[in-house]
Amino acid sequence: MQKMAGSSFPEEVLEHVFSFIQDGKDRNVISLVCKSWYEIERWSRRRVFVGNCYAISPRMVIRRFPEVRSVELKGKPHFADFSLVPDGWGGYVGPWIAAMAAAYPWLEEIRLKRMVVTDEGLELISKSFKNFKVLVLSSCEGFSTVGLAAIAANCRNLRELDLRESEVEDLSGHWLSHFPDNYTSLVSLNISCLTSEVSFSALERLVGRCPNLRTLRLNRAVPLDRLANLLRRAPQLVEFGTGVYASELRPDVFSNLSGAFSGCKELKGLSGFWDAVPVYVPAVYPICSRLTSLNLSYATIQSPDLIKLVSQCQNLQRLWVLDYIEDTGLDALAASCKDLRELRVFPSDPYEAEPNVSLSEQGLVSVSAGCPKLQSVLYFCRQMSNAALRTIARNRPNMTRFRLCIIEPRTPDYVTLQPLDAGFGAIVEHCKDLQRLSLSGLLTDRVFEYIGTFAKKLEMLSVAFAGESDLGLHHVLSGCENLRKLEIRDCPFGDKALLANAAKLETMRSLWMSSCCVSFGACKLLGQKMPRLNVEVIDERGPPDSRPESCHVEKLYIYRTVAGPRFDMPPFVWTMDEDSELRLS
Amino acid sequence: MEAGTKKEKMGFEETELRLGLPGNGATTHEGAEVARKRGFSETETETTTVDLKLNLSSKEPGRDPTTEKLQKEKNCLLTADPAKHPAKAQVVGWPPVRSFRKNMLAVQKGGPEESEKASGNAAFVKVSMDGAPYLRKVDLKMYKSYQELFDALGKMFSSFTIGNCGSQGMKDFMNERKLMDLLNSSDYVPSYEDKDGDWMLVGDVPWEMFVHSCKRLRIMKGTEAIGLAPRAVEKCRNRS
């Protein structure tokens, strides 16, 4: 080992050391040590994650990191999932693809979430990156199967094509046939969001010739009687998503399917199960004990069948299910699945006021008691009590993600008729590592005081129909040190808390407020005072300056950025900036 | 400073070009008071001079003057306070179920005869307007009448004026001569594609029927909609 001259190792050594560090945050820290480390680090960074595509420009990323192989971008705010962000808002990936096509010829991976992707963009990807391997489009939109055909035809080294929950204009299923006959490198394919049929023979041939295929998630259009053939061609599968899981019971089909499942010795995760019928569920019994992940959230089977199924899944770590499971099913889950880490219970009938299933707070309490590793919960229900929340909190101090949705807004504790402040307060007090929290039910400013006081590790908070005054917002903004994302709808929070905590907003990725009480005047002020924030007013009633300054804006999206105001906004979005002139797109 | 706890890999790896540690160097722009995190009562705003005395350990819900002022300010909102909506009115985006899942649920509940289109809970149709670069989507189930729909469309495409569509307007709409006048003007006319793939003028059929048969909406310039008129007028004639 050569002696240390001055304070530096040769660059090659440092580069080698840095190559063991993948995490972006760690790399950011490394880059701050000194100028030469900054330089070495930036030339050797291979992965970039941009949590808000408008926080920085493609040019700036490329300038700093010239040798990137993997890019992950996120676009629209989370509330876009619930139709709160009007179409045309933005999140276009086009400029990024164009810039990267020129700068990163060796790019291998693109992962996008809530962005608008076009067929032209997909075609450009397929032609610009010779070694392209991974395309993940999560909740994206704007493209069709034409773009997918280009990817299939041109990306010779493609490993992963994952379209999870994207909105794809489904012109035909023939795009799948564009994979060349000598293409064999597929590892992961998720087409579960597609509505039209894909060509089965093309699919079977594709699956048959890709020996490394680990994940295959089919769309609803694939009938049940096709599954066995596919499984037999890919016995090495680890994750499998069925198509529609319903058919007339035919013993030959059943035994064929069951045999095919049994033949997949590596299978650990199952999903799909659209419209599942009870008679075919037992086909998976032989492999239940190996399963770690089960997504039954589209399966319309009822509690007794669900109980029989989950009782056999002793190694289950993740369960997504409809509220058909009911409290009794959750009791069974608590008794059988001691390794459970994540539970999501979705509503089967969210728009009815009256409950259609016997699912209450009790089910969640049972699971919290019976599953010591439970740390991530998403639970839709119609009643809750402070006592139940306190019990859950005490049972599971290791909880890191807790999202509770009581279906009717402002529902109080059903036993005491009190607000649920104390219950959520217990959650934040006991669950010291809580990173994500979604609130619901009747809540006063008190709950925000608890959150500000205790939720020191909280990174993301979702609030709806809660609180009484600016005090609530102030507690959160001034108390939650690690807060990165805050999304609020229909709460009486206004100017004062926002302006008093303006500096806090620069430490966060973004803040969304809709149907609150923030005035246009305050937005303008914030935009003027905080040049490193984009303060975007979204208002479909027309230009905000056509109304008094004290009028509340419909929606507000504030995010930190080093790229300045964006210029791709639709007519109903205005950026408040330093010039305090309204910039129309 | 950033190292802290090893967070679970949720992908929290930002290219953080450091903007400066919070609390230091942040006072380079004017209005430094705003940058302070405490000092809530010293907030500078142009819109209010109320000195908000915060009592953080207060046990009563705040009844301070600011809440009342907020209520007054809220009233200038053109849209109604959601809290005042009737209990069963559907609120946009609540409960927070993703559209993919919503549509799936609707189809599953609906059964074969309704499974052509997401029914029961949502009826999203695309809306395009001649000359506008953006497609929008509306959920027809959110509205109870043509008037409500037109109001919403009007807000969405604010340069778009439909010829008079009150109840008198609807009668006029059905009246052949007035319809012709409308179509000849430069106003916009809403048309829709129905289940059979035909393009019709909006307003032809009873509202409920329209919601079930409408697949997409197009807001055309009146002059372009001329070709649609005869069918609509025919249907009117046949009915009256």
Side-chain angles (χ1 to χ4, degrees):
Chain A
M1 188 68 220
Q2 63 187 78
K3 73 166 195 241
M4 295 222 282
S7 59
S8 43
F9 284 113
E11 268 191 30
E12 298 80 22
V13 173
L14 282 172
E15 206 177 309
H16 184 67
V17 171
F18 292 176
S19 71
F20 291 99
I21 298 165
Q22 304 296 335
D23 179 66
K25 287 182 71 189
D26 292 339
R27 287 204 147 233
N28 292 342
V29 172
I30 287 170
S31 71
L32 293 175
V33 168
C34 64
K35 280 204 178 116
S36 70
W37 281 38
Y38 178 92
E39 282 299 308
I40 297 167
E41 191 284 313
R42 78 181 189 91
W43 280 93
S44 62
R45 192 178 301 215
R46 298 284 174 261
R47 267 179 183 243
V48 165
F49 169 80
V50 180
N52 173 4
C53 64
Y54 291 119
I56 192 168
S57 71
R59 192 178 47 83
M60 292 162 111
V61 174
I62 290 167
R63 198 172 60 206
R64 179 169 173 187
F65 302 117
E67 299 278 341
V68 162
R69 301 272 187 275
S70 162
V71 171
E72 184 174 349
L73 302 172
K74 295 189 180 179
K76 299 184 205 172
H78 173 238
F79 273 177
D81 287 352
F82 315 125
S83 314
L84 289 179
V85 178
D87 286 343
W89 173 84
Y92 305 107
V93 78
W96 287 86
I97 298 177
M100 294 190 301
Y104 294 150
W106 298 112
L107 191 69
E108 295 177 4
E109 305 181 353
I110 294 178
R111 294 179 170 83
L112 306 176
K113 188 164 189 180
R114 287 189 209 100
M115 295 199 75
V116 179
V117 189
T118 60
D119 288 340
E120 292 73 24
L122 290 175
E123 189 167 348
L124 190 57
I125 290 173
S126 76
K127 299 209 166 121
S128 309
F129 310 116
K130 297 288 173 259
N131 205 20
F132 195 67
K133 295 194 171 123
V134 172
L135 183 63
V136 178
L137 302 176
S138 175
S139 303
C140 294
E141 54 162 351
F143 61 102
S144 76
T145 41
V146 170
L148 296 179
I151 297 286
N154 301 319
C155 300
R156 296 303 161 112
N157 293 309
L158 193 72
R159 304 266 161 89
E160 234 180 278
L161 178 60
D162 185 338
L163 304 176
R164 53 180 87 154
E165 299 194 354
S166 288
E167 210 177 293
V168 185
E169 202 175 344
D170 222 328
L171 300 174
S172 94
H174 292 295
W175 67 273
L176 203 67
S177 317
H178 287 252
F179 281 110
D181 290 333
N182 61 356
Y183 166 75
T184 58
S185 44
L186 196 61
V187 173
S188 172
L189 181 65
N190 178 357
I191 54 169
S192 54
C193 61
L194 295 182
T195 46
S196 71
E197 276 185 15
V198 289
S199 152
F200 299 130
S201 50
L203 181 60
E204 281 176 10
R205 282 196 313 272
L206 179 64
V207 168
R209 68 177 183 270
C210 294
N212 296 318
L213 192 65
R214 292 276 172 277
T215 299
L216 177 63
R217 300 205 197 273
L218 305 170
N219 64 340
R220 195 148 175 241
V222 178
L224 186 143
D225 56 16
R226 291 276 178 176
L227 297 181
N229 275 351
L230 286 166
L231 289 168
R232 288 195 200 282
R233 276 164 217 248
Q236 75 284 1
L237 279 179
V238 176
E239 313 249 320
F240 181 65
T242 74
V244 65
Y245 204 72
S247 181
E248 275 174 25
L249 177 60
R250 285 165 44 202
D252 55 331
V253 171
F254 181 95
S255 59
N256 199 9
L257 183 57
S258 195
F261 273 122
S262 304
C264 296
K265 304 291 185 201
E266 312 292 324
L267 203 47
K268 294 221 167 44
L270 287 180
S271 62
F273 295 107
W274 279 287
D275 313 330
V277 293
V279 288
Y280 275 102
V281 172
V284 304
Y285 285 175
I287 58 164
C288 278
S289 58
R290 279 188 247 124
L291 292 180
T292 57
S293 170
L294 193 48
N295 182 351
L296 296 168
S297 62
Y298 299 107
T300 42
I301 51 178
Q302 306 292 313
S303 188
D305 300 300
L306 286 166
I307 291 175
K308 280 195 218 117
L309 181 56
V310 302
S311 307
Q312 301 181 59
C313 302
Q314 299 87 1
N315 288 307
L316 204 59
Q317 295 180 14
R318 183 198 308 162
L319 177 65
W320 291 21
V321 72
L322 286 172
D323 56 10
Y324 292 132
I325 195 168
E326 301 193 330
D327 289 339
T328 46
L330 293 175
D331 289 340
L333 183 70
S336 315
C337 305
K338 295 304 184 184
D339 211 21
L340 195 71
R341 322 271 164 109
E342 178 180 327
L343 174 66
R344 295 195 191 190
V345 178
F346 295 96
S348 54
D349 208 349
Y351 303 106
E352 288 303 313
E354 293 310 308
N356 60 324
V357 291
S358 179
L359 179 105
S360 71
E361 82 283 6
Q362 201 41 54
L364 186 56
V365 171
S366 283
V367 180
S368 76
C371 303
K373 297 197 189 158
L374 185 70
Q375 55 179 169
S376 174
V377 166
L378 170 62
Y379 198 76
F380 284 81
C381 61
R382 289 183 162 83
Q383 69 182 40
M384 188 48 63
S385 67
N386 284 306
L389 286 171
R390 249 184 244 116
T391 306
I392 293 165
R394 289 206 183 100
N395 287 342
R396 293 275 64 78
N398 52 328
M399 190 78 72
T400 55
R401 286 168 185 72
F402 190 73
R403 295 197 273 162
L404 180 67
C405 179
I406 304 166
I407 287 175
E408 183 65 31
R410 303 192 184 91
T411 303
D413 176 325
Y414 77 98
V415 177
T416 64
L417 300 182
Q418 292 300 299
L420 290 168
D421 301 335
F424 280 106
I427 295 279
V428 293
E429 187 181 350
H430 291 275
C431 307
K432 301 202 192 306
D433 290 325
L434 197 68
Q435 286 174 22
R436 186 167 179 183
L437 178 65
S438 297
L439 305 173
S440 58
L442 182 65
L443 297 165
T444 70
D445 286 344
R446 199 81 235 241
V447 71
F448 299 107
E449 189 182 342
Y450 293 137
I451 292 172
T453 305
F454 292 111
K456 294 306 182 188
K457 300 275 179 72
L458 193 66
E459 297 180 16
M460 182 169 178
L461 179 65
S462 308
V463 186
F465 305 104
E468 304 158 292
S469 76
D470 274 48
L471 196 45
L473 181 57
H474 175 67
H475 283 309
V476 172
L477 290 177
S478 58
C480 296
E481 289 154 11
N482 279 296
L483 195 63
R484 292 190 294 119
K485 291 180 277 185
L486 179 57
E487 47 186 24
I488 301 172
R489 61 163 298 173
D490 293 277
C491 296
F493 300 148
D495 302 347
K496 288 162 207 53
L498 202 55
L499 294 173
N501 291 285
K504 171 72 175 174
L505 300 176
E506 268 188 16
T507 69
M508 293 164 57
R509 181 186 297 173
S510 66
L511 167 64
W512 169 277
M513 293 178 74
S514 57
S515 305
C516 295
C517 303
V518 182
S519 72
F520 175 52
C523 295
K524 279 203 295 189
L525 185 63
L526 200 57
Q528 284 165 33
K529 299 288 187 197
M530 308 294 293
R532 288 183 301 208
L533 294 179
N534 276 355
V535 178
E536 292 185 6
V537 169
I538 300 168
D539 208 315
E540 295 181 86
R541 297 169 296 178
D545 64 354
S546 63
R547 290 180 293 279
E549 273 201 3
S550 56
C551 233
H552 300 153
V553 299
E554 273 181 355
K555 299 172 186 181
L556 177 61
Y557 186 52
I558 301 172
Y559 54 90
R560 67 178 173 185
T561 181
V562 293
R566 59 186 178 109
F567 295 102
D568 60 356
M569 299 174 299
F572 49 86
V573 179
W574 292 268
T575 300
M576 312 286 107
D577 66 14
E578 299 165 307
D579 303 331
S580 91
E581 276 173 43
L582 281 184
R583 276 225 215 152
L584 299 173
S585 64
Chain B
M1 207 221 119
E2 266 211 298
T5 51
K6 196 124 180 89
K7 297 205 169 83
E8 198 188 77
K9 253 201 165 37
M10 275 179 73
F12 183 57
E13 304 163 14
E14 299 184 5
T15 33
E16 278 181 20
L17 300 178
R18 288 306 289 166
L19 306 177
L21 298 171
N24 104 21
T27 52
T28 49
H29 53 268
E30 50 176 353
E33 291 91 330
V34 177
R36 259 188 272 144
K37 295 202 298 195
R38 309 286 171 214
F40 196 70
S41 59
E42 295 147 12
T43 307
E44 266 181 8
T45 78
E46 292 173 18
T47 59
T48 172
T49 54
V50 173
D51 179 18
L52 189 68
K53 289 181 175 37
L54 291 182
N55 184 354
L56 291 183
S57 60
S58 162
K59 293 214 184 328
E60 288 168 343
R63 257 178 29 248
D64 57 313
T66 50
T67 333
E68 282 161 15
K69 185 162 204 289
L70 287 174
Q71 276 302 107
K72 289 206 191 85
E73 289 177 343
K74 237 183 153 174
N75 291 338
C76 81
L77 264 183
L78 299 177
T79 48
D81 178 357
K84 297 192 178 67
H85 275 179
K88 300 305 166 234
Q90 231 187 75
V91 178
V92 175
W94 190 268
V97 176
R98 288 193 182 180
S99 355
F100 183 71
R101 187 172 293 283
K102 250 202 301 198
N103 291 342
M104 220 32 84
L105 285 177
V107 174
Q108 285 174 339
K109 279 167 46 65
E113 69 282 358
E114 292 179 59
S115 62
E116 287 182 317
K117 167 172 89 87
S119 66
N121 302 317
F124 281 98
V125 298
K126 291 189 180 168
V127 186
S128 60
M129 175 164 128
D130 288 359
Y134 304 98
L135 268 188
R136 308 301 302 278
K137 273 190 278 214
V138 288
D139 177 4
L140 294 177
K141 298 259 169 181
M142 296 287 297
Y143 312 107
K144 303 208 176 29
S145 68
Y146 284 115
Q147 190 58 56
E148 281 186 25
L149 174 63
F150 294 150
D151 286 344
L153 291 179
K155 285 184 199 152
M156 258 186 228
F157 298 102
S158 44
S159 56
F160 149 48
T161 47
I162 309 190
N164 185 0
C165 277
S167 58
Q168 180 55 41
M170 285 305 286
K171 287 198 198 128
D172 289 350
F173 200 68
M174 300 303 187
N175 174 303
E176 185 183 340
R177 192 174 315 123
K178 294 225 165 151
L179 184 58
M180 290 308 181
D181 287 347
L182 178 64
L183 296 177
N184 280 319
S185 77
S186 61
D187 280 349
Y188 286 90
V189 163
S191 61
Y192 71 102
E193 183 182 3
D194 71 4
K195 274 191 172 131
D196 307 321
D198 297 325
W199 285 90
M200 319 273 287
L201 288 176
V202 172
D204 248 12
V205 301
W207 172 254
E208 284 302 329
M209 203 185 296
F210 166 71
V211 171
H212 277 107
S213 62
C214 172
K215 275 178 35 190
R216 59 186 295 165
L217 280 164
R218 181 177 158 201
I219 304 172
M220 309 169 100
K221 277 203 131 65
T223 44
E224 285 200 30
I226 293 263
L228 300 179
R231 282 198 63 171
V233 173
E234 256 321 293
K235 287 188 178 179
C236 292
R237 278 213 205 100
N238 292 342
R239 238 202 321 262
S240 58

